[in-house]
Amino acid sequence: MDLKTLALIVGANVIALAVGLQRLDTQGLVRLDNFVPYQILGQPCGLARDDFFAIISDRVVLATEVVYGAVLVENGFIVKVVQFHDSLEVPERVKLLKREAAALHRDLKNIYDYGHAVVSPGLVDMHVHMDEPGREHWEGIAAATSAAATGGVTTLFDMPLNSNPPTTDLHSLKKKQALVKRKAKVDVAIWAGLVPENAHDPALLQGLLDQGALGFKSFMSPAGIDGFSNVNRTHIEAALPVLKRNGVPYLVHAEIVGDDTEPQGLHSGNRKGDPRKYQTYLATRPKSFEANAVALLIDVLRKSKDQVMKPGFWLHIVHLANADLLQDIKQAQDEGLPLSVETAPHYIGFNDQDIADGNSLLKCAPPIRDKANQEGLFQGLKDGVIGGLASDHSPSPCADKLLDEGNFLKAWGGISGLQYVLPATWTAVKKLDPEADTESSLLRLASWWSLQPSQTTGLRYSKGQIAKGFHADLVVWDPDSLADTSVGFMQHKNPCSPYTSLPLYGKVLATFVEGQMVFDSQLGMSKNTCGKLISRQ
């Protein structure tokens, strides 16, 4: 047998092995948490066909400074960050990088020089509703992760709803994990749902964690989705010991519908007033909803502070929209309580005066409030009381937004915006803090969108910063160029987003997920699924 024939036989068997393993994994017969077929075949799956390369930029955003330098990437990891002297010319840069590569016993053939564009750590979005399985017509894994890659998001966390059924038991979790492994274009982790039906079942909660869920999510108010009931204090107190012992985050939609207010789900309403007026809807979700919920959560933490708790547990308030609560939250944090908070780009990018009659694209819960509240939330981010940002990407079919009638009370309450979180945030930062120097703003954005979410979610040692040993999750972007917010460029399944056609600064030029170039503004999106499932180890 000649060598050519032998090579063909070996190649065919490797391909067969890769396909067979993928099928077994999808069927749940084996568990391969980080399986990507292209790795077995020895091929990069992204747009750039190399496993060792350098990225050069005048502005590389590290944890504490922005430097002129290069990032060396090998097999999906950052192996070195090289800082250049300001006077170093291009030929000398190349020579220096080749020497660094030689020290690693590698031959550097590929250098991506992005000039004055910014190289930041890839964004980590810990609050995304991909809606699969069961509601793929709302979004789906392929569309959501394509939008994420286009927008510079390299890791996302999928919520237990609005998939159908919600991810509240082992069967639904395994099914979602199998779909993520087949379809994801960026790295994906999964939150399990904590609901009244499983809150008192420590064995089931433990089983969900052992199967790979990174933590849990609950609603304290009606979610508007069948199969995902809201929890009360009894449910939270019953489940908390399991979460603390395991050192995993507990995310909570913190609103309690008041006794003096007609019960409202996220997406329904029957109130007096013109339903096309945003103020009519705003009146149905008063600030007291969030205030009562946050007060309850802080009290639960105080009264359970003597319970056994491993590092990694956080009671995490999602999408805070009431700036009045920042003082109470800071006091709890200063006491040492494990309380963390996020807000969303739409709460710092818009206020109630920006919402025209009938523009139900901006309906969400908690609702967008007045300008003073908008500015207060932004100050909370700058002060560090609010640790970071997350999209709360909650898409739906456009018909469910009732755009023709513009009825805020009956329209679906969720904002579609995953693709636009980077430019939406950058535009809001420049508007709300125009005197800040660019370097400070770049460092804050990287902290809010990468470093802090990674630390909160338990990924602090692999994601969220540009440093040796971390995954090469990178976004290259131009803060001075307009992002493409046209419908034609949108990756989401349903073309109804409040960001459509808005002038948002911060154009994404390229996105790398674990060293794979999954998006390039000139080449487009990689056709391959380079993302991995992130499971709790």
Side-chain angles (χ1 to χ4, degrees):
M1 183 183 299
D2 59 42
L3 289 177
K4 184 175 181 181
T5 303
L6 179 61
L8 288 172
I9 293 173
V10 172
N13 279 282
V14 170
I15 292 171
L17 175 63
V19 172
L21 284 173
Q22 186 175 30
R23 287 177 178 173
L24 289 171
D25 185 48
T26 301
Q27 294 168 9
L29 299 177
V30 297
R31 182 175 172 185
L32 302 168
D33 289 337
N34 294 315
F35 175 68
V36 177
Y38 300 94
Q39 293 175 337
I40 285 187
L41 300 179
Q43 299 175 359
C45 76
L47 297 168
R49 299 294 178 176
D50 40 25
D51 64 359
F52 182 70
F53 58 90
I55 292 175
I56 295 176
S57 169
D58 295 351
R59 295 185 285 181
V60 178
V61 182
L62 307 182
T64 59
E65 60 181 333
V66 179
V67 302
Y68 168 39
V71 183
L72 284 173
V73 176
E74 182 177 28
N75 295 323
F77 289 89
I78 298 169
V79 291
K80 189 157 190 178
V81 178
V82 180
Q83 295 190 34
F84 299 140
H85 297 296
D86 290 342
S87 60
L88 199 65
E89 298 294 334
V90 172
E92 286 73 25
R93 293 188 314 195
V94 173
K95 289 180 181 178
L96 174 58
L97 290 176
K98 286 189 175 291
R99 287 198 300 271
E100 295 286 354
L104 298 168
H105 307 289
R106 294 297 302 258
D107 181 17
L108 182 62
K109 297 179 180 179
N110 298 285
I111 299 175
Y112 301 95
D113 191 338
Y114 287 104
H116 198 54
V118 174
V119 177
S120 294
L123 278 62
V124 178
D125 192 341
M126 57 188 294
H127 194 150
V128 177
H129 299 268
M130 294 200 293
D131 305 333
E132 187 174 353
R135 290 191 174 91
E136 293 87 342
H137 61 294
W138 288 25
E139 184 68 296
I141 295 167
T145 56
S146 293
T150 306
V153 176
T154 54
T155 304
L156 65 81
F157 284 70
D158 187 50
M159 285 292 170
L161 72 168
N162 302 311
S163 52
N164 186 22
T167 315
T168 57
D169 58 29
L170 287 173
H171 176 74
S172 58
L173 175 58
K174 289 177 182 178
K175 185 173 183 179
K176 183 177 284 189
Q177 288 173 327
L179 291 167
V180 165
K181 291 173 185 177
R182 283 170 41 205
K183 298 184 177 184
K185 292 181 178 289
V186 302
D187 288 353
V188 173
I190 297 172
W191 300 122
L194 198 159
V195 293
E197 291 76 12
N198 64 18
H200 295 273
D201 189 342
L204 176 54
L205 299 180
Q206 187 65 53
L208 288 163
L209 294 174
D210 292 343
Q211 178 57 31
L214 267 75
F216 291 90
K217 162 72 181 296
S218 292
F219 272 71
M220 296 177 72
S221 60
I225 291 290
D226 293 338
F228 205 90
S229 303
N230 56 289
V231 297
N232 59 29
R233 182 178 188 129
T234 301
H235 304 125
I236 295 170
E237 290 177 334
L240 218 54
V242 177
L243 279 56
K244 285 187 171 183
R245 284 199 306 270
N246 282 277
V248 296
Y250 180 36
L251 286 69
V252 183
H253 178 127
E255 285 185 292
I256 297 176
V257 175
D259 295 335
D260 59 341
T261 305
E262 181 180 329
Q264 299 280 320
L266 275 179
H267 323 297
S268 62
N270 184 22
R271 311 294 293 165
K272 294 180 180 179
D274 184 350
R276 288 182 51 81
K277 298 286 187 182
Y278 181 69
Q279 295 299 324
T280 302
Y281 168 65
L282 187 56
T284 71
R285 312 286 297 202
K287 286 186 172 182
S288 60
F289 283 15
E290 284 187 272
N292 293 337
V294 171
L296 184 153
L297 293 172
I298 292 174
D299 189 57
V300 167
L301 286 177
R302 285 185 175 130
K303 291 181 176 177
S304 64
K305 63 182 180 180
D306 293 329
Q307 291 177 345
V308 174
M309 184 179 74
K310 286 181 63 177
F313 169 79
W314 295 96
L315 198 157
H316 182 79
I317 298 170
V318 300
H319 51 50
L320 182 75
N322 182 353
D324 295 347
L325 303 179
L326 292 172
Q327 183 174 353
D328 291 341
I329 291 169
K330 185 178 187 305
Q331 180 178 338
Q333 292 171 338
D334 289 345
E335 293 173 22
L337 297 179
L339 181 66
S340 58
V341 186
E342 74 186 44
T343 191
H346 43 272
Y347 295 122
I348 62 170
F350 301 99
N351 61 61
D352 61 350
Q353 298 304 303
D354 298 319
I355 305 176
D357 291 353
N359 184 13
S360 55
L361 292 173
L362 282 166
K363 177 185 177 181
C364 59
I368 295 167
R369 302 193 183 278
D370 58 30
K371 184 177 181 181
N373 189 76
Q374 174 191 22
E375 293 171 345
L377 291 172
F378 184 70
Q379 189 62 47
L381 278 165
K382 291 177 64 178
D383 293 342
V385 181
I386 301 173
L389 289 159
S391 69
D392 187 18
H393 173 65
S394 184
S396 70
C398 296
D400 291 354
K401 296 299 288 186
L402 304 180
L403 298 175
D404 290 339
E405 58 182 284
N407 188 321
F408 279 104
L409 298 180
K410 294 182 179 179
W412 171 262
I415 288 179
S416 176
L418 176 58
Q419 183 172 331
Y420 310 108
V421 292
L422 193 159
T425 302
W426 185 248
T427 301
V429 167
K430 302 306 286 183
K431 179 179 179 180
L432 294 171
D433 199 8
E435 301 304 318
D437 64 273
T438 299
E439 179 170 336
S440 296
S441 295
L442 290 173
L443 289 169
R444 283 177 178 147
L445 187 141
S447 177
W448 298 337
W449 269 114
S450 303
L451 182 62
Q452 291 297 327
S454 296
Q455 293 179 343
T456 302
T457 58
L459 303 180
R460 65 172 66 232
Y461 299 115
S462 59
K463 306 282 188 183
Q465 56 181 302
I466 298 176
K468 181 181 179 180
F470 281 72
H471 289 163
D473 296 340
L474 307 166
V475 55
V476 184
W477 59 291
D478 182 353
D480 300 317
S481 293
L482 287 169
D484 187 344
T485 58
S486 66
V487 171
F489 191 63
M490 183 184 291
Q491 303 297 315
H492 296 298
K493 183 160 290 185
N494 294 287
C496 39
S497 169
Y499 296 109
T500 301
S501 300
L502 285 187
L504 301 178
Y505 282 90
K507 180 180 180 180
V508 174
L509 304 177
T511 304
F512 295 82
V513 176
E514 296 196 33
Q516 304 290 346
M517 183 190 286
V518 296
F519 170 77
D520 178 86
S521 60
Q522 299 298 316
L523 300 175
M525 177 73 58
S526 172
K527 295 180 180 179
N528 299 321
T529 53
C530 301
K532 297 179 183 177
L533 172 69
I534 301 172
S535 291
R536 180 174 179 267
Q537 302 299 319

